[in-house]
Amino acid sequence: MEQAMRGMESSPLVVVAGASGDLGDSIVNALMARNVKVRALVRRPSDRLARRGIDQLPVAFEDSAALTRALGGAICVVSALNGTAPVILDAQGRLLDAAVAAGVPRFIPTDFCLDYRATRPGDNRNMDLRRQFAARVDAAPIRATSILNGPFAELLKGEAPIVLHRFRRVLFWGDADQLFDFTTKDDVASFTADTALDSDAPRYLRISGDQISSRGLAKLLTEMDGRCWRLFRAGGTARLSALITVARALTPESDAPFPAWQGMQYLRDMATGRGKLHDLDNGRYGKRDWTSASAVLASTLA
């Protein structure tokens, strides 16, 4: 036991902000599996984290001195914060400033999305926020790595209007052969943990658990289900853009991260191919067990 405690004391420290969320929780698990000492920054203690013996540190992001102390000794700060401008720009900006003040050498911002660098400014609010924060990160005296993974593969279970399980239809806009990137949260978390320990990680890393088109999804589901799944074309991307304009005009202003029109903006960036990932870095850390779209869909068909 004493030797195990000494080993933990000598382990590198990684601080995770947003550890109580789904992705943050998975990142914490992946880091602990690598014998990394984890400190979770939380608004209030989480029973789920406490049951796993994770060091939780309640801290107000508005308290810059306390936030700086909370990051002391870390080799990397991982942000898994989720929200709109008050979170992505303001709270995460304070986290970045505190990391610099604490002398933390590396920072992983909460990107975990499409390739926002290739999307058009003004087309997607959440991509615009990440683009704005990237400019701030690039101006800071800290080494940063953004992980781009496309949409989370869990959306295929029905959380997004792509796979319509009730009707055995795959809905698409534009071209049925446009490839999409899908990566599960656990795969993203595993790669993020490796990145946090990689002092030579570049500014951007691109990963995709599976690449498949709407047509490919319909074919895959037909093979898996034994029943015919058909494509359903909702229209071209111009029609989708018109619907986004109407939906946004009818939606009250809110800090909710995913109103209906925001999800539609993601679908547009997927359908046009502007957010598509290229030159993937999947093999950088030797990971081979990427979760396929068929593995994700298998549980829904069961």
Side-chain angles (χ1 to χ4, degrees), residues 36 60 63 138-139 145 150 162 174 176 179 203 220-221 236 246 260 262 299:
V36 174
D63 187 341
D138 290 340
T145 299
I162 300 173
L179 287 175
R203 179 66 181 87
L220 175 64
L221 284 160
V246 172
Q262 175 63 80
S299 61

Side-chain angles (χ1 to χ4, degrees), residues 100-115:
V100 172
V104 179
R106 301 190 52 248
F107 187 88
I108 298 178
T110 184
D111 286 339
F112 308 115
C113 60
L114 313 174
D115 191 346

